[in-house]
């Protein structure tokens, strides 16, 4: 077979062998020694065939119709036999598998699928081993991030499966070579079956201890970003915890619309007619959306009406917007079917008002939930945006004034701006002058940054606590044994006092003109990460830049980490270890894609 693709080169004059072979496919000349056989020729032939196949594939403008039809039949069989959703065929994982199989057959010929694809047990063993390696590497990267930037952050979430088993997930967020990265560390069952603060704290401490961190280490260098649920707050009280901005935003929206019966905000005043009107309209729209789905009338609409759920305020917005966009078709369909009573209780002006009022909430939510870019510096700006939106004007309708007044109260009571949010705001060079703050507030925020740099330089790296500085019980230090050098402390070189204010003051005084700032604009966004990673800035502010990158690695919300539980719909089919392995691998793969 090899010699069908090669020709030996002979010196005709002397009829002698030259030790060379000519490839018929690419006209390359390959060294060939009769003693070593045809191994090198086979290797060249395989690579040459691959190049030819790739070139041929690239030269085709489209897949031949006959071939495409066969693939569609095979894809349909894949979906129907194993009962996969149709969207499964679009998955990046499946596409990667198909590409690998195509490359294999191009090099080595056609094989049976049973010979190529591994068994489920083999895959499980490989998944567990790979997930274990990923977690080990991640822990080393986390420790390097602490040394280089002073801190890391962890988002956490609780989830209950259909068997009422409680699970806790921890996702690490940190800087890796100046880039933001995140990785699920674990999805562990809370074995006591209770999500009390004590059990959650024990579970967190146990997880970090197994990962190789001391309690003192992660208490000093880890920011926890979590929801404001009481059990989570109390469990993490000894540590530095930052409330999730997206959860606070959702709480403000829900309480503003009075959608929660447990609201601690006072209800709409008895003489205020708009409170009842809002509730009546939202309830009526929910019933309408449910009817259109159940009756199949959604199929008659250009875009389906979205239903809301009990926990997500943004689903209320999505439902109201979808109903408003289909208003004329909905009315036409119901009137033609004699079902006008189905939109009784719906005030279309109220629907339009609510969509307009809630839209800024959604835009802010989408800004703060991003995990690929720094978001901590945007929290104060987002808070201020809502604050401005809640300012009433003489042209506002009565219902808008009602919503704005209530929203302003809810924002102050339910959205907490912590010290680290102020620090993040200050680290944006566009706002380093802290113009909206008083002189005393400016000094306090600047001192927060200076203290972070001081702790970083002295190797303490103690995070700035928000409002309350929780003390964690530290193990007693062993008394150092006395030695002869201790008698001559006055002779020893002492570490000079570090004036940490220099870089911070220099940063404040440095003028970054518009042309310089524009260098870091990407996709209409100021790339603050690129700014603090730039050679000029790191040279001018070597310590402040490292502290800044550490702060910017803290996400504004825990939403990105909570997506780890998107797999848990099939929880009943998976063991705990398999579930964790798949989620760890999924996070790692998505970070690479």
């Amino acid at each position: 077979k090899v010699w069908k693709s090669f020709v030996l080169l002979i010196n005709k004059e002397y009829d002698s062998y030259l030790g060379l072979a000519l490839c018929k496919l690419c006209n390359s000349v390959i060294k060939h020694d009769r003693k070593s056989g045809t191994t090198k020729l086979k290797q060249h032939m395989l690579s040459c065939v691959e190049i030819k196949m790739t070139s041929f594939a690239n030269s085709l403008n489209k897949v031949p119709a006959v071939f495409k039809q066969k693939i569609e039949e095979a894809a349909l069989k894949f979906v129907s036999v194993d009962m996969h959703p149709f969207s499964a065929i679009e998955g990046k994982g499946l596409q990667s598998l198909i590409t690998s199989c195509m490359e294999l057959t191009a090099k080595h010929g056609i094989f049976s699928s049973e010979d190529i694809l591994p068994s489920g047990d083999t895959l499980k063993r490989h998944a567990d081993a790979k997930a274990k390696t990923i977690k080990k590497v991640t822990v080393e990267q986390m420790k390097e991030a602490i040394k280089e930037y002073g801190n890391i952050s962890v988002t956490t979430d609780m989830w209950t499966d259909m068997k009422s088993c409680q699970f806790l997930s921890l996702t690490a967020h940190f800087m890796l070579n100046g880039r933001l990265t995140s990785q699920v560390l674990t999805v562990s069952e809370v074995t006591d079956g209770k999500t009390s603060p004590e059990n959650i704290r024990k579970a967190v401490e146990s997880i970090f201890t197994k990962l190789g961190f001391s309690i003192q280490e992660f208490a000093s260098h880890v920011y926890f970003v979590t929801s404001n649920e009481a059990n989570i707050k109390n469990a993490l009280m000894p540590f530095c915890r930052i409330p999730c901005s997206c959860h606070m935003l959702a709480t403000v929206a829900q309480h503003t619309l009075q959608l929660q019966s447990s609201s601690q905000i006072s209800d709409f005043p008895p003489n205020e007619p708009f409170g009842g009107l809002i509730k009546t309209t939202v309830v009526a729209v929910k019933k309408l959306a449910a009817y259109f789905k159940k009756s199949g009338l959604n199929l008659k609409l250009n875009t389906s009406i979205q239903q809301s759920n009990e926990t997500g305020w943004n689903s209320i917005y999505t439902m109201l917007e979808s109903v408003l966009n289909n208003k004329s078709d909905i009315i036409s369909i119901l009137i033609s079917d004699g079902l006008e009573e189905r939109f009784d209780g719906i005030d279309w002006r109220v629907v339009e008002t609510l969509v307009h009022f809630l839209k800024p909430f959604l835009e802010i939510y989408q800004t703060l939930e991003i995990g690929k870019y720094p978001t901590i510096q945007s929290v104060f700006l987002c808070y201020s945006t809502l604050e401005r939106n809640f300012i009433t004007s003489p042209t506002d309708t009565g219902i808008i004034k009602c919503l704005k007044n209530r929203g302003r109260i809810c924002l102050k009571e339910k959205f907490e701006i912590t010290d680290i949010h102020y620090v993040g705001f200050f680290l944006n060079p566009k706002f380093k002058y802290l113009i909206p703050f008083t002189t005393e507030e400016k000094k306090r925020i600047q001192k927060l940054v200076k203290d972070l740099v001081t702790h970083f330089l002295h190797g303490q790296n103690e995070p700035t606590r928000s409002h309350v500085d929780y003390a964690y019980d530290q193990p007693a230090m062993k008394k150092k044994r006395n030695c002869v050098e201790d008698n001559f402390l006055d002779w020893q070189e002492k570490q000079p006092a570090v004036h940490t204010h220099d870089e911070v003051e220099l940063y404040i005084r440095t003028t970054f003109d518009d042309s310089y700032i524009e260098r870091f604009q990407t996709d209409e966004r100021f790339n603050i990460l690129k700014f603090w990673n730039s050679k000029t800035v790191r040279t001018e502010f070597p310590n402040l830049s490292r502290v800044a990158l550490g702060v910017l690695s803290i996400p504004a919300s825990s939403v990105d980490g909570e997506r780890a539980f998107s797999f848990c719909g099939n929880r009943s089919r998976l063991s705990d270890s398999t579930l964790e392995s798949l989620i760890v691998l999924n996070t790692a793969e998505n970070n690479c894609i």
Side-chain angles (χ1 to χ4, degrees):
K1 292 182 180 180
V2 172
W3 293 112
K4 290 181 180 180
S5 302
F6 289 92
V7 175
L8 286 175
L9 298 181
I10 307 294
N11 188 325
K12 292 183 179 180
E13 185 177 351
Y14 299 101
D15 194 25
S16 62
Y17 174 59
L18 297 177
L20 300 172
L22 176 69
C23 176
K24 295 180 181 179
L25 295 173
C26 64
N27 294 324
S28 297
V29 177
I30 312 297
K31 289 184 178 180
H32 172 62
D33 185 353
R34 290 177 176 175
K35 294 181 180 179
S36 61
T38 59
T39 302
K40 289 184 178 180
L41 300 182
K42 288 180 181 178
Q43 292 174 350
H44 174 80
M45 185 175 67
L46 290 174
S47 62
C48 193
V49 169
E50 181 182 3
I51 293 171
K52 287 285 185 181
M53 290 290 291
T54 303
S55 177
F56 173 73
N58 292 337
S59 66
L60 295 175
N61 293 324
K62 60 180 181 179
V63 179
V66 176
F67 182 73
K68 195 168 184 178
Q69 185 177 358
K70 290 183 178 180
I71 293 298
E72 287 177 357
E73 289 294 330
L76 182 59
K77 187 174 181 179
F78 161 75
V79 170
S80 59
V81 170
D82 297 330
M83 295 301 292
H84 292 298
F86 289 111
S87 58
I89 202 69
E90 300 171 358
K92 292 182 178 179
L94 178 61
Q95 292 173 5
S96 176
L97 172 63
I98 293 173
T99 300
S100 298
C101 291
M102 290 172 65
E103 291 175 352
L104 175 66
T105 54
K107 288 182 180 180
H108 304 289
I110 299 176
F111 295 89
S112 169
S113 59
E114 288 82 358
D115 295 332
I116 297 176
L117 299 176
S119 66
D121 290 338
T122 301
L123 271 183
K124 183 184 182 307
R125 288 194 298 270
H126 184 52
D128 291 342
K130 191 172 181 179
K132 186 177 179 180
T133 301
I134 289 172
K135 288 199 290 184
K136 184 177 180 181
V137 171
T138 301
V139 169
E140 294 302 317
Q141 291 172 342
M142 290 164 63
K143 292 185 176 182
E144 285 299 317
I146 289 174
K147 291 179 182 177
E148 179 67 20
Y149 305 108
N151 67 270
I152 59 173
S153 58
V154 171
T155 54
T156 183
D157 187 32
M158 298 290 297
W159 180 78
T160 305
D161 70 359
M162 293 181 291
K163 299 177 182 178
S164 299
C165 297
Q166 306 286 340
F167 288 85
L168 173 72
S169 77
L170 295 178
T171 303
H173 306 260
F174 53 93
M175 283 287 171
L176 179 62
N177 300 323
R179 292 177 61 251
L180 271 179
T181 188
S182 63
Q183 176 61 53
V184 173
L185 295 174
T186 186
V187 178
S188 304
E189 184 177 359
V190 182
T191 53
D192 291 341
K194 297 179 181 179
T195 55
S196 65
E198 293 77 14
N199 286 343
I200 295 174
R201 184 185 298 118
K202 288 178 182 178
V204 171
E205 292 177 356
S206 174
I207 290 167
F208 271 92
T209 302
K210 289 178 181 178
L211 292 173
F213 289 89
S214 65
I215 294 178
Q216 177 184 352
E217 191 174 13
F218 74 82
S220 300
H221 303 302
V222 177
Y223 288 92
F224 286 90
V225 182
T226 74
S227 64
N228 268 337
E229 294 173 1
N231 57 345
I232 295 288
K233 288 175 65 175
N234 293 332
L236 299 177
M237 188 174 290
F239 314 119
C240 189
R241 192 195 72 87
I242 302 169
C244 168
S245 297
C246 286
H247 280 257
M248 291 191 291
L249 185 69
T251 303
V252 172
Q254 288 172 332
H255 287 278
T256 298
L257 299 181
Q258 196 62 45
L259 298 178
Q260 287 188 340
S261 58
S262 60
S263 175
Q264 296 177 1
I265 307 291
S266 59
D267 205 343
F268 291 103
N271 59 346
E272 176 58 76
F274 302 111
L277 189 59
I278 290 171
K279 292 180 184 178
T280 301
T281 299
V282 171
V283 170
V285 172
K286 283 183 178 180
K287 291 180 179 178
L288 180 67
Y291 175 74
F292 263 72
K293 181 179 180 181
K294 185 177 180 180
S295 64
L297 290 178
N298 263 340
L299 298 175
K300 295 184 178 182
L301 301 173
N302 292 328
T303 56
S304 297
I305 297 177
Q306 303 298 315
Q307 286 189 291
S308 66
N309 56 54
E310 296 300 323
T311 58
W313 72 270
N314 48 348
S315 69
I316 296 288
Y317 170 82
T318 305
M319 177 188 68
L320 292 171
E321 185 187 40
S322 65
V323 168
L324 187 63
N325 290 339
N326 287 287
K327 175 184 173 182
S328 58
D329 291 337
I330 290 171
I331 294 175
S332 176
I333 290 171
L334 292 180
I335 290 177
S336 64
D337 292 346
L339 299 171
E340 294 92 337
E341 71 277 3
R342 289 289 177 182
F343 50 78
D344 286 348
I346 298 178
D347 188 319
W348 293 104
R349 291 174 301 174
V350 174
V351 175
E352 187 175 354
T353 299
L354 290 176
V355 170
H356 176 74
F357 178 77
L358 289 174
K359 189 173 182 180
F361 283 84
L362 183 67
E363 292 171 347
I364 290 173
Y365 187 91
Q366 291 171 343
T367 297
L368 297 178
E369 72 168 345
I370 298 173
K372 295 182 179 180
Y373 305 100
T375 50
I376 195 73
Q377 79 285 355
S378 300
V379 175
F380 179 71
L381 287 175
C382 291
Y383 177 93
S384 302
T385 299
L386 277 182
E387 204 171 34
R388 289 184 177 184
N389 285 341
F390 292 152
I391 297 174
T392 57
S393 68
T395 58
D396 286 339
T397 61
I399 190 171
I400 283 290
K401 287 181 180 178
C402 172
L403 288 170
K404 285 184 175 181
N405 289 331
R406 187 170 175 79
R408 186 166 56 252
I409 296 172
C410 293
L411 184 66
K412 289 181 179 179
E413 294 192 16
K414 296 296 182 181
F415 202 112
E416 178 188 5
I417 300 293
T418 66
D419 287 344
I420 204 66
H421 296 139
Y422 291 125
V423 169
F425 178 73
F426 172 76
L427 291 174
N428 187 332
K430 294 182 177 182
F431 303 105
K432 62 188 176 72
Y433 297 119
L434 301 173
I435 292 174
F437 299 95
T438 65
T439 302
E440 290 301 316
E441 289 171 337
K442 289 179 183 178
K443 290 180 179 179
R444 192 183 77 84
I445 294 171
Q446 291 166 4
K447 186 178 184 301
L448 289 172
V449 183
K450 293 174 184 180
D451 289 345
L452 282 174
V453 178
T454 300
H455 291 309
F456 178 79
L457 289 175
H458 285 288
Q460 298 175 5
N461 298 329
E462 186 69 24
T464 302
R465 307 291 173 172
S466 300
H467 303 295
V468 181
D469 192 2
Y470 298 111
Y472 195 83
D473 294 335
Q474 311 257 346
M477 300 292 290
K478 292 183 179 179
K479 187 175 180 181
K480 192 174 77 170
R481 189 175 178 180
N482 193 25
C483 59
V484 66
E485 288 91 350
D486 293 336
N487 298 323
F488 298 92
L489 295 176
D490 55 327
W491 286 11
Q492 297 177 26
E493 183 178 352
K494 297 180 180 179
Q495 183 179 4
V498 180
H499 300 288
T500 61
H501 67 277
D502 290 345
E503 287 189 26
V504 178
E505 291 294 339
L506 180 61
Y507 168 66
I508 297 170
R509 295 170 187 169
T510 301
T511 301
F512 302 105
D513 56 30
D514 293 341
S515 61
Y516 185 80
I517 293 295
E518 285 176 2
R519 299 180 188 179
F520 306 102
Q521 291 290 137
T522 55
D523 300 328
E524 300 181 356
R525 178 199 303 268
F526 173 66
N527 194 327
I528 192 172
L529 202 60
K530 191 175 179 181
F531 171 84
W532 285 106
N533 261 320
S534 65
K535 185 177 181 181
T536 303
V537 172
R538 297 200 72 167
T539 302
E540 288 292 323
F541 317 104
N543 299 306
L544 178 60
S545 63
R546 292 164 71 184
V547 170
L549 290 169
V551 171
L552 293 173
S553 70
I554 304 170
S557 76
S558 59
V559 174
D560 193 51
E562 291 169 10
R563 292 194 180 99
F565 283 135
S566 61
F567 277 117
C568 295
N570 294 325
R571 161 70 188 90
S572 59
R573 302 179 186 178
L574 302 172
S575 65
D576 301 343
S577 60
T578 302
L579 177 67
E580 180 179 271
S581 296
L582 289 176
I583 292 178
V584 168
L585 290 174
N586 176 263
T587 312
E589 291 294 340
N590 284 333
N591 285 337
C592 295
I593 289 175

